[in-house]
Amino acid sequence: MKRRRILIITICVVVIGIVLSIVLTRGTSPEGPLTTVNVTRGDIVKTVLVDGSLAMPNKAYLSFGATGTVEEILVAEGNNVTEGQILARLDAPSLESSVEMAELQVEIAEEQVKAARAQYEIAQINLDEGKMSEGILELQVDAARANWKTAKLNLEIAELSLESAELNLEKAVIVAPFDGIVADITITEGEEISTATLATPAISLVDTSEIEMHGFIDEIDITMVQLGQEVNIILDALPKEEVKGEVTFISPTGTILAGVVSYDTTISLENPVAELRDGMSATAEIIIERHDDVLIIPNRAIRGTLENPKVLVLVDEQEEER
């Protein structure tokens, strides 16, 4: 692993109006030649550098939830798929028959509920009109009400059985959980999926729209890094690509790497390009501080203290301290 490092561009800036040049040094005597440098404008950026690699966090390793023979594989490696798309299915006639039988049981139960309700309504009308003795009619109403209640309970049981059968049938199908690219297929049509191989991934899916960079920053530099800071990312494989990002996670716990306490840091890429691949090496420039379009002079021209910096300005061949 590459050593983590910090790059701090420190340039003192002094606003001096219209200046032709700054005096750097004079010869060994007061009358010696002057060494000067012109003042320029530019940007000053303070950054922390971190080496790491790219990762695609949204990955899915999909497998069947039931045993059987692989009937068909509907995708190939490298295919783009959408959420909910069927990728592969088993030949599962017994599961399909169970669903059909459960659907039939639901239909029968629904008809029984309708019939029981009709019987109850008739018994209630007879009681209201007093067509028979009140005691007999009340017994008929109670019996019809009980039959109706039982029919509704049977319908609920039939519906639960149908849900269970449909769930089992769904286990014989692999469906894409999100939009992505098929990264790997380990099954073949006609292959038998047994209890022993159920846990083995059949199809691997990757979401390439979301890419992160992971790296470790040492304990000295991590104090300057904050969530949301802008990041420029340099890729070893694609040096001409301009990729931006921002810091989205800083681990609260440290890891000792080569004797140095370092902190796992995640950077989310804002404009991932199609050529990016999981695992690519990258270097991130985390922007700690930035000053745009300022006057710039080299450090060696600065005199005085940090609190009161000064420079010698050459005006009409005369030196002025400013």
Side-chain angles (χ1 to χ4, degrees):
M1 180 176 295
K2 298 180 180 177
R3 179 179 177 84
R4 308 299 168 228
R5 59 193 185 279
I6 177 173
L7 171 64
I8 304 180
I9 303 176
T10 307
I11 302 176
C12 295
V13 178
V14 181
V15 179
I16 56 177
I18 301 175
V19 179
L20 295 178
S21 59
I22 298 294
V23 177
L24 290 180
T25 60
R26 179 182 288 278
T28 55
S29 66
E31 292 76 21
L34 296 175
T35 301
T36 62
V37 63
N38 290 333
V39 175
T40 61
R41 279 192 174 274
D43 301 334
I44 299 177
V45 182
K46 177 180 178 181
T47 64
V48 167
L49 297 186
V50 55
D51 296 321
S53 59
L54 302 185
M56 297 177 181
N58 291 339
K59 301 176 183 176
Y61 302 95
L62 310 173
S63 58
F64 292 106
T67 59
T69 304
V70 179
E71 180 179 18
E72 56 182 343
I73 301 172
L74 303 173
V75 293
E77 292 179 358
N79 283 173
N80 288 291
V81 299
T82 57
E83 181 179 352
Q85 181 177 338
I86 296 177
L87 309 181
R89 60 163 53 94
L90 295 176
D91 181 15
S94 61
L95 296 177
E96 293 173 355
S97 297
S98 296
V99 172
E100 293 173 356
M101 182 63 69
E103 289 174 341
L104 179 59
Q105 293 299 324
V106 169
E107 292 177 3
I108 293 173
E110 288 174 341
E111 293 300 322
Q112 290 175 342
V113 168
K114 292 179 182 178
R117 178 177 179 177
Q119 291 176 355
Y120 169 74
E121 291 175 348
I122 292 173
Q124 188 65 52
I125 291 173
N126 290 337
L127 177 61
D128 294 341
E129 295 179 353
K131 293 182 178 181
M132 298 181 186
S133 68
E134 185 174 346
I136 294 175
L137 292 174
E138 287 178 349
L139 289 175
Q140 290 179 346
V141 169
D142 291 342
R145 183 186 294 111
N147 289 338
W148 185 19
K149 183 177 181 180
T150 300
K152 289 191 290 185
L153 179 60
N154 290 336
L155 176 58
E156 291 177 2
I157 294 174
E159 289 173 339
L160 289 175
S161 296
L162 176 58
E163 290 179 7
S164 177
E166 289 175 337
L167 181 60
N168 288 333
L169 183 59
E170 289 177 2
K171 293 179 180 179
V173 177
I174 294 179
V175 178
F178 50 75
D179 296 351
I181 294 178
V182 178
D184 189 28
I185 299 176
T186 62
I187 56 173
T188 57
E189 292 183 355
E191 179 180 342
E192 286 294 328
I193 304 299
S194 64
T195 304
T197 59
L198 276 178
T200 303
I203 297 177
S204 299
L205 192 64
V206 177
D207 177 8
T208 58
S209 65
E210 183 176 347
I211 302 179
E212 297 175 342
M213 176 184 165
H214 294 271
F216 285 87
I217 302 177
D218 66 44
E219 59 185 334
I220 301 300
D221 300 344
I222 199 65
T223 58
M224 295 180 287
V225 179
Q226 299 179 7
L227 297 179
Q229 285 176 329
E230 180 184 350
V231 181
N232 295 321
I233 298 171
I234 303 168
L235 301 163
D236 293 354
L238 301 168
K240 295 183 180 180
E241 291 291 343
E242 295 183 0
V243 181
K244 302 291 185 180
E246 70 170 295
V247 178
T248 54
F249 173 76
I250 303 171
S251 176
T253 58
T255 301
I256 298 179
L257 301 173
V260 178
V261 179
S262 300
Y263 294 83
D264 186 17
T265 303
T266 301
I267 297 166
S268 294
L269 276 63
E270 297 177 351
N271 58 331
V273 295
E275 293 81 7
L276 297 185
R277 296 291 184 269
D278 187 90
M280 278 186 170
S281 299
T283 299
E285 296 179 344
I286 303 175
I287 298 177
I288 306 302
E289 188 176 347
R290 184 185 189 98
H291 301 278
D292 296 329
D293 193 28
V294 294
L295 296 175
I296 299 175
I297 61 175
N299 279 334
R300 63 184 186 277
I302 305 297
R303 303 186 178 196
T305 64
L306 289 176
E307 294 76 17
N308 186 28
K310 297 179 180 180
V311 294
L312 288 179
V313 181
L314 190 62
V315 180
D316 296 331
E317 301 299 327
Q318 299 296 319
E319 300 174 28
E320 294 184 9
E321 186 176 73
R322 299 187 182 181

